[in-house]
Amino acid sequence: MDLARSVAAEVGRPDWVGEHLTAQVEDTRLVTHYFDCLDPSYPGWTYAVTVVRASRAKDVTVNEVVLLPGEGALTAPEWVPWKERLRPGDVGVGDLLPTEEDDERLVPGYAQVPDSELDAEGMDKQMVWELGLGRRQVLSEVGREQAAERWYNGEAGPKSPIATAAPARCTTCGFLTPLAGELRQMFGVCTNEFAPDDGKVVSLDHGCGAHSEVRRPTPQNEPVAPVVDELGYDHIVFDDTAELELVSSDS
């Protein structure tokens, strides 16, 4: 134990090596001694010094010295690959986001083509069209489903606060432009520059206060009660009610 303490003091400082906590037998003639670490930068950590004595040897030697985190120690978070750390909005100007070749959200442009899109010679019309636009890959069914679920359950869906308070839904709004393909069944793009979702994809049952059918409230003409000026004039009632005179208060 004294040998282990002296080695721990060499690695750190003598005043950083606290009391001996325990000794754990790892194997035959192999023991690890644990000391409390008093370094203010490593609260909750312990010095672990492993000592060993070779077979038929008289002297004990040091095998390993490490600083290990104990219960409640401040440690770095577990490493997560960048692909799992990435969040929407992290890609900025000049950043590159590589796409994996086996990305399930994408398929080759000629995949999943129905027979109706093959001409008499078996030419894939969709493949020619996609290649003409320079698109080697297109969105797969998995990609469409993930996008639809993400959009529908997000701020562009029917459950957002602005949608629940809207007077009508986007499906009846003149500013809605439907998407192409299968996604047009559920989504469109808002084209109202004054709407909070201008230029964004919204679900057909989304909504906001900038709906095209919103109108100004119709003014209601209510009869106005006559106004009697009681500041500029005084009303005087005479005993003889047959004669009433309105006298100005300025006189």
Side-chain angles (χ1 to χ4, degrees), residues 30-236:
L30 186 66
V31 180
T32 300
H33 294 274
Y34 294 90
F35 300 90
D36 188 19
C37 178
L38 303 180
D39 185 353
S41 301
Y42 290 88
W45 289 64
T46 58
Y47 287 103
V49 183
T50 302
V51 295
V52 61
R53 182 176 65 83
S55 178
R56 293 189 295 274
K58 296 182 180 180
D59 298 329
V60 177
T61 58
V62 177
N63 189 359
E64 186 179 27
V65 183
V66 293
L67 192 61
L68 298 178
E71 185 176 354
L74 180 62
T75 59
E78 184 179 356
W79 183 82
V80 179
W82 70 269
K83 188 175 182 180
E84 300 179 14
R85 297 196 307 267
L86 195 64
R87 292 294 179 267
D90 289 348
V91 180
V93 178
D95 296 335
L96 298 178
L97 180 60
T99 302
E100 302 293 340
E101 288 296 332
D102 58 348
D103 194 328
E104 63 177 0
R105 299 172 300 173
L106 298 172
V107 293
Y110 55 83
Q112 298 180 353
V113 179
D115 296 336
S116 59
E117 297 189 12
L118 298 177
D119 60 12
E121 299 179 357
M123 177 65 70
D124 186 347
K125 299 178 182 179
Q126 180 175 347
M127 178 187 67
V128 175
W129 181 75
E130 296 293 351
L131 292 179
L133 292 179
R135 297 214 302 172
R136 184 174 64 90
Q137 295 176 307
V138 295
L139 200 62
S140 66
E141 183 178 358
V142 174
R144 291 193 297 269
E145 291 178 355
Q146 291 181 357
E149 182 178 358
R150 184 172 62 253
W151 294 344
Y152 197 79
N153 295 330
E155 292 298 322
K159 298 180 181 179
S160 61
I162 193 171
T164 55
R169 299 304 177 188
C170 294
T171 185
T172 58
C173 182
F175 295 108
L176 180 75
T177 300
L179 296 180
E182 295 181 359
L183 292 176
R184 71 177 291 125
Q185 302 177 14
M186 295 180 60
F187 302 99
V189 177
C190 178
T191 61
N192 188 349
E193 62 178 322
F194 301 107
D197 296 310
D198 178 40
K200 300 179 181 179
V201 175
V202 295
S203 66
L204 299 183
D205 49 359
H206 184 66
C208 72
H211 195 279
S212 62
E213 300 303 318
V214 174
R215 297 293 183 268
R216 297 179 183 274
T218 304
Q220 298 180 356
N221 297 325
E222 298 181 356
V224 181
V227 178
V228 179
D229 185 2
E230 296 182 353
L231 296 179
Y233 297 91
D234 292 334
H235 293 273
I236 301 176

Side-chain angles (χ1 to χ4, degrees), residues 3-20:
L3 176 62
R5 177 181 290 274
S6 63
V7 173
E10 291 180 8
V11 174
R13 291 183 181 180
D15 53 339
W16 286 354
V17 182
E19 63 176 330
H20 183 261

